[in-house]
Amino acid sequence: MEHGKHQAPARYESGEGCLTTLVRIPVRIVVLVLVLPVRMAWDALVVGARAADRMLLRPLGRALVWGFEVLIAIPARRLYAQVLTPLGHGLRWLAMAVFVWPWGALWRYAVVPGVRYGIVVPLVWLYEQVLTPLGHGLRWVRRALLLPAGRGIAAAVGWLLTVVLVMPVVLLWRHLLKPLGLAVAWLLEHLIVLPLVWTYRELLTPLGHGIAWLVDLLVRGIGAGLRGLGIALGWLVTVLLVTPAVWVYRRVLTPVGREIAAALAVAWRVAGFISRAFGRALAWLAWHLVGAPVTWAYRTVCTPVGHFLRDAVLAPAGRAALAVGRTARQTLRTARETVRQARRDAWRALVGGPRESEPREPRRPLARTLGDTQQATTVPSAAPEPEISLLGQKSVPQG
C-alpha cells in the first residue's frame, strides 16, 4: 500500500487513471500465485545443480583426471620415453645406414665423378675446341656471303613482283574501278537515299509526333484516374484498418503488455524472496533435526571413542608391528650375512686363496655388551669380553 501511495501521483501525472491502479494489484497477486511455483522449482533446481556439481561432478571429474593420468598419460609417457624413443632412434639409425649413407656415398664417390669426368668435361672440350670455331666460321660465311647474296636476290624479286603484279592492279583501280564506283554511289544517293530521307522528314516524323501526343494524353488521363483511385483506397484502408489497429495497439496492447511485464518482474522478485525464506526455513529445520544431533554425537561420542581406540589399541599395535618388522629385518640381515660367509668359506675351501682382509668395522663380539639389548649371547662356552676392549691392539709401554 505504501508503495502504491508513493507511486500514485507519478502515475496520475503520466496519464494513468485510478482504474489502472486498482486493477494492477489483483493482476499482480494472480501473477504471483502463478509464478511462485515456477520460481520455487527454479531455485530448487539451482540448489540441486550446485550440490550435484560440488558433491558429484567435481569429485567425478577429479577421479576421471586421476584415472586418465594414472592409466593412460603416465604409461604413455613412459612408453614414449623408454620404448618408442629408443626404438625411433634405432630405426632412424637403421634407415640412415640402409637408405641414406650408401646412396650418399654412391652419389658422392661414383655418380658425381662419373658424370663430371665422363660427360661434362668431354662436352666442355667439344664445345670449346670444336663447336665454337665452327660457329664462328659459319657466322663469317653468313655475314660475308649469304647476306649480300640475299639482299640482291630480294631486290630482284621485289622489282619483278612490282612490275608484274602491283602496277597492273594500281592502273586498273585508278582508271576503271574508282570512276565506276563514284558513278554508282551518285546514282544510289539521288535515286534511293534522298527520297527516303524526304519521306521520313516530311511524312513519318509528323505522323509519329501526333500518335505519341495522343498516347501521352491517354496515359496521363488513365494515370490521374488510377492515382485518385489509389488515394481513395489508401484513405479507406487508413481509416478502416490502420487507425483502429494503431489505436488498439497504443491504448490496449501496449498498456496490457507493459502491465503484464511489470507484474511478472515484481512477481518473480517476490517469489524469489518467498523461495529463499522457504529454503532458509528448510535449512534451519534440517540443521536442528539432523545436523545439530549428528554434530553433537560426533563431538561427544565418536571423537572420544576414536581417541580411545587410537591411544589404547592402534598406537600399541603400531608400535608392536614396528618392533616385529625391525626384528624380522635384523633376522634377515643376520641370515644373509651367515649365508654370504658360508659361501665365501666354501669357495675358499674348494679353490683356495688368501684370506680376505678384515672389514672396516669390527665384528660384534660374541659376548653381550652393554649397548646391545636385542642380541644376547647365551652360548655356554663363550667367555664374555671386557666392557672396554682395545680389540687386539698392542699395548703401549709406559715410561
Side-chain angles (χ1 to χ4, degrees):
M1 294 299 293
E2 294 295 332
H3 180 75
K5 289 180 180 180
H6 288 294
Q7 296 294 331
R11 297 190 181 275
Y12 289 150
E13 292 177 359
S14 62
E16 296 180 356
C18 61
L19 182 61
T20 304
T21 306
L22 293 175
V23 172
R24 183 179 293 118
I25 296 174
V27 169
R28 291 188 177 183
I29 293 172
V30 173
V31 172
L32 175 61
V33 172
L34 296 176
V35 170
L36 182 59
V38 178
R39 181 58 188 263
M40 294 183 69
W42 174 260
D43 291 339
L45 289 176
V46 170
V47 173
R50 290 178 181 175
D53 178 63
R54 291 180 181 178
M55 300 175 63
L56 181 62
L57 296 181
R58 292 182 184 178
L60 181 61
R62 295 191 188 97
L64 290 177
V65 170
W66 180 83
F68 177 80
E69 183 72 21
V70 171
L71 298 178
I72 298 177
I74 295 176
R77 285 198 294 266
R78 291 183 179 178
L79 178 65
Y80 176 78
Q82 299 178 4
V83 178
L84 297 180
T85 301
L87 182 62
H89 292 171
L91 291 177
R92 183 180 64 180
W93 183 86
L94 182 62
M96 292 289 291
V98 174
F99 296 103
V100 178
W101 294 339
W103 293 105
L106 180 64
W107 171 263
R108 180 177 296 178
Y109 299 107
V111 176
V112 172
V115 171
R116 181 177 181 181
Y117 295 103
I119 299 176
V120 177
V121 174
L123 289 178
V124 170
W125 180 86
L126 179 64
Y127 175 77
E128 291 179 353
Q129 303 297 328
V130 179
L131 296 180
T132 300
L134 181 61
H136 291 173
L138 293 176
R139 184 178 62 180
W140 180 84
V141 169
R142 172 179 171 274
R143 289 181 179 178
L145 299 177
L146 296 179
L147 289 179
R151 293 192 188 97
I153 294 172
V157 171
W159 178 82
L160 182 62
L161 291 175
T162 301
V163 171
V164 175
L165 297 177
V166 177
M167 291 300 294
V169 172
V170 170
L171 293 175
L172 179 63
W173 168 258
R174 287 181 180 178
H175 299 287
L176 181 61
L177 296 178
K178 186 178 180 179
L180 183 61
L182 293 175
V184 171
W186 184 84
L187 289 174
L188 290 175
E189 181 182 359
H190 286 79
L191 294 178
I192 299 174
V193 177
L194 290 178
L196 291 177
V197 170
W198 181 84
T199 303
Y200 175 77
R201 289 180 179 177
E202 301 298 334
L203 295 178
L204 297 179
T205 301
L207 183 61
H209 289 172
I211 293 172
W213 180 77
L214 290 175
V215 172
D216 184 41
L217 183 62
L218 292 175
V219 169
R220 287 182 180 179
I222 294 172
L226 293 176
R227 192 179 299 111
L229 182 61
I231 293 171
L233 290 176
W235 181 81
L236 289 175
V237 170
T238 302
V239 171
L240 297 178
L241 295 178
V242 177
T243 302
V246 171
W247 183 85
V248 170
Y249 174 76
R250 290 181 179 178
R251 300 299 179 181
V252 178
L253 297 180
T254 301
V256 169
R258 189 183 299 114
E259 290 300 326
I260 291 174
L264 287 174
V266 173
W268 185 260
R269 290 195 296 270
V270 174
F273 295 148
I274 297 173
S275 177
R276 283 193 290 271
F278 184 73
R280 293 191 188 98
L282 288 179
W284 183 84
L285 288 176
W287 169 253
H288 285 82
L289 293 178
V290 179
V294 170
T295 304
W296 178 84
Y298 175 77
R299 290 180 179 177
T300 57
V301 178
C302 295
T303 301
V305 171
H307 290 176
F308 174 76
L309 292 176
R310 181 189 63 186
D311 297 335
V313 178
L314 296 179
R319 288 193 293 269
L322 290 177
V324 170
R326 191 181 300 111
T327 304
R329 287 195 299 271
Q330 187 66 28
T331 304
L332 291 175
R333 189 183 300 110
T334 305
R336 284 198 299 269
E337 183 66 26
T338 304
V339 171
R340 189 181 298 110
Q341 187 64 31
R343 189 177 63 250
R344 291 176 184 174
D345 294 340
W347 178 259
R348 191 181 300 110
L350 292 174
V351 179
R355 188 174 182 179
E356 296 181 357
S357 60
E358 294 293 335
R360 295 182 181 180
E361 296 183 359
R363 298 179 180 175
R364 294 181 179 270
L366 297 177
R368 182 177 179 182
T369 58
L370 294 176
D372 193 354
T373 59
Q374 295 182 359
Q375 291 184 358
T377 55
T378 58
V379 181
S381 61
E385 292 187 359
E387 297 297 335
I388 299 174
S389 178
L390 298 178
L391 297 176
Q393 297 182 0
K394 295 181 179 180
S395 61
V396 181
Q398 296 181 0

